[in-house]
């Protein structure tokens, strides 16, 4: 399995605007096999409680090399900050997750069947291996290592199909605003 490559196309302080850009991208995609993944770095006990209420089976582990994880049966609040991760959700969970994340750095990733044909850049249908959209909340990077007061939308493509990212951005009234980088997962 290889990683996708991602390129930022929008940075905004308005989560609603970011979600609208994601929705426009998803209108282009083959979403017949849509799933949503979530990850956050959580420092607040109240945010952690909100998130675990929505994602009771989420995996979590202490950040910074400290011990403690969902596998240990310990109270996650005692291990803050923690990284929370959960996979394979339906799209209905997105807005509640965005609200529950509050000001914590988080990433919502939409995983789907493929991108459309991009004839202007010489590309056929983009298969599922490089077909994702990620909204990073309160972070500027996919690893959630650079907290920010704004949100960033990334389009994912196969590395050899890098021309698809600016093509997709243009289709939703945006443009690329950063480099194409290897996605962490």
């Amino acid at each position: 399995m290889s990683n996708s490559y991602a390129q930022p196309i929008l940075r905004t302080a308005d989560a609603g605007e970011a979600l609208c850009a994601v929705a426009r991208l998803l209108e282009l995609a083959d979403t017949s096999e849509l799933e949503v993944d979530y990850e956050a770095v959580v420092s607040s006990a109240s945010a952690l409680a909100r998130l675990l209420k929505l994602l009771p089976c989420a995996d979590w582990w202490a950040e910074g090399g400290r011990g403690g994880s969902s596998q240990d049966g310990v109270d996650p609040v005692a291990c803050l900050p923690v990284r929370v991760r959960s996979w394979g959700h339906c799209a209905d969970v997105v807005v509640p997750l965005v609200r529950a994340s509050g000001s914590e750095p988080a990433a919502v990733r939409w995983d789907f069947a493929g991108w459309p044909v991009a004839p202007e850049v010489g590309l056929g249908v983009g298969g599922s291996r490089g077909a994702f959209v990620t909204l990073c909340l309160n972070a500027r990077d996919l690893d959630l290592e650079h907290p920010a007061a704004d949100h960033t939308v990334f389009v994912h493509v196969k590395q050899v199909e890098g021309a698809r990212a600016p093509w997709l951005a243009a289709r939703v009234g945006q443009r690329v605003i950063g480099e194409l980088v290897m996605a962490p997962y």
Side-chain angles (χ1 to χ4, degrees), residues 9-23:
I9 67 160
L10 174 66
R11 187 163 290 127
T12 177
D14 183 345
E17 178 184 6
L19 286 168
C20 285
V22 169

Side-chain angles (χ1 to χ4, degrees), residues 38-52:
Y38 179 82
E39 182 173 0
V41 177
V42 184
S43 298
S44 155
S46 60
L48 181 62
R50 290 189 307 267
L51 290 168
L52 292 179

Side-chain angles (χ1 to χ4, degrees), residues 4-67:
S4 65
Y5 281 72
Q7 197 157 22
I9 67 160
L10 174 66
R11 187 163 290 127
T12 177
D14 183 345
E17 178 184 6
L19 286 168
C20 285
V22 169
R24 289 191 308 271
L25 286 164
L26 294 176
E27 288 173 2
L28 300 173
D30 175 354
T31 57
S32 61
E33 300 173 16
L34 182 68
E35 290 186 347
V36 173
D37 302 330
Y38 179 82
E39 182 173 0
V41 177
V42 184
S43 298
S44 155
S46 60
L48 181 62
R50 290 189 307 267
L51 290 168
L52 292 179
K53 183 176 181 180
L54 288 170
L55 306 169
C57 296
D59 291 328
W60 65 266
W61 56 93
E63 282 283 277
R66 297 179 354 272

